[in-house]
């Protein structure tokens, strides 16, 4: 049997759904597909949706202001705009961004960033025979 699947949604378990909802809707202009009382929001992000689900009560620490998770997941967003301009814009919005990079014989520019809870994302732009400044 060959199982054929289509990635529909990635769910991030988060400390504060409203903070991350605000981040992704304001920074990336993702639209809200559905929402339930600060514990769940589903965002339209192109061909795959992103769900933000509040972590379980026993993991919540309401006495600490900002909480960042350590995780091994990175969400990659392919962009058609200039990666330098997008990176500059995100930095101006106080988003933590790393330097732009690429690899030998790789046809993309890459730039990593993180959301307010430390979830990693990456911008990926095709080189299109451009030179990087």
């Amino acid at each position: 049997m060959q199982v054929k699947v289509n990635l529909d949604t990635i769910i991030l378990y988060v400390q504060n759904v409203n903070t991350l909802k605000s981040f992704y809707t304001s920074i990336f202009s993702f639209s809200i597909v559905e929402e339930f009382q600060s514990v769940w929001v589903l965002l339209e992000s192109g061909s795959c949706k992103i769900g933000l689900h509040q972590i379980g009560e026993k993991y919540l620490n309401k006495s600490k202001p900002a909480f960042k998770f350590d995780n091994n997941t990175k969400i990659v967003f392919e962009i058609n705009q200039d990666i330098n301009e997008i990176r500059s814009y995100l930095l101006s919005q106080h988003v933590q961004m790393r330097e732009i990079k690429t690899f030998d014989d790789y046809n993309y520019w890459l730039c990593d960033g993180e959301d307010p809870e430390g979830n990693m994302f990456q911008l990926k732009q095709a080189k299109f025979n451009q030179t990087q400044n």
Side-chain angles (χ1 to χ4, degrees):
M1 174 198 289
Q2 182 179 11
V3 178
K4 295 181 181 182
V5 299
N6 181 45
L7 182 61
D8 178 72
T9 304
I10 295 172
I11 297 174
L12 301 176
Y13 289 91
V14 302
Q15 180 83 7
N16 189 314
V17 171
N18 289 329
T19 297
L20 292 186
K21 173 184 76 172
S22 177
F23 175 82
Y24 286 104
T25 57
S26 65
I27 297 296
F28 293 113
S29 301
F30 292 162
S31 58
I32 297 171
V33 175
E34 63 184 35
E35 184 171 9
F36 183 72
Q37 302 175 354
S38 301
V39 297
W40 167 255
V41 67
L42 186 63
L43 303 171
E44 185 68 48
S45 60
S47 60
C48 179
K49 293 180 274 305
I50 296 176
L52 304 173
H53 194 297
Q54 185 176 36
I55 59 175
E57 188 68 33
K58 72 178 184 175
Y59 300 104
L60 286 173
N61 188 342
K62 296 177 183 174
S63 65
K64 294 182 180 177
F67 181 80
K68 291 193 175 185
F69 286 101
D70 289 326
N71 66 52
N72 62 356
T73 304
K74 183 187 295 184
I75 302 171
V76 180
F77 300 118
E78 190 166 359
I79 59 173
N80 293 319
Q81 298 165 278
D82 182 271
I83 197 166
N84 292 290
E85 290 178 12
I86 299 297
R87 181 179 180 274
S88 293
Y89 166 74
L90 293 173
L91 287 169
S92 77
Q93 300 300 306
H94 309 289
V95 177
Q96 291 187 24
M97 299 297 297
R98 295 186 182 155
E99 296 299 320
I100 296 169
K101 64 184 178 184
T102 191
F103 302 99
D104 291 339
D105 299 321
Y106 188 64
N107 293 325
Y108 295 92
W109 296 109
L110 307 170
C111 187
D112 291 347
E114 64 180 77
D115 72 20
E117 288 193 6
N119 297 297
M120 295 298 299
F121 65 86
Q122 182 175 79
L123 303 177
K124 175 181 174 182
Q125 179 200 2
K127 288 183 179 175
F128 300 118
N129 296 322
Q130 297 175 356
T131 56
Q132 183 67 21
N133 297 333

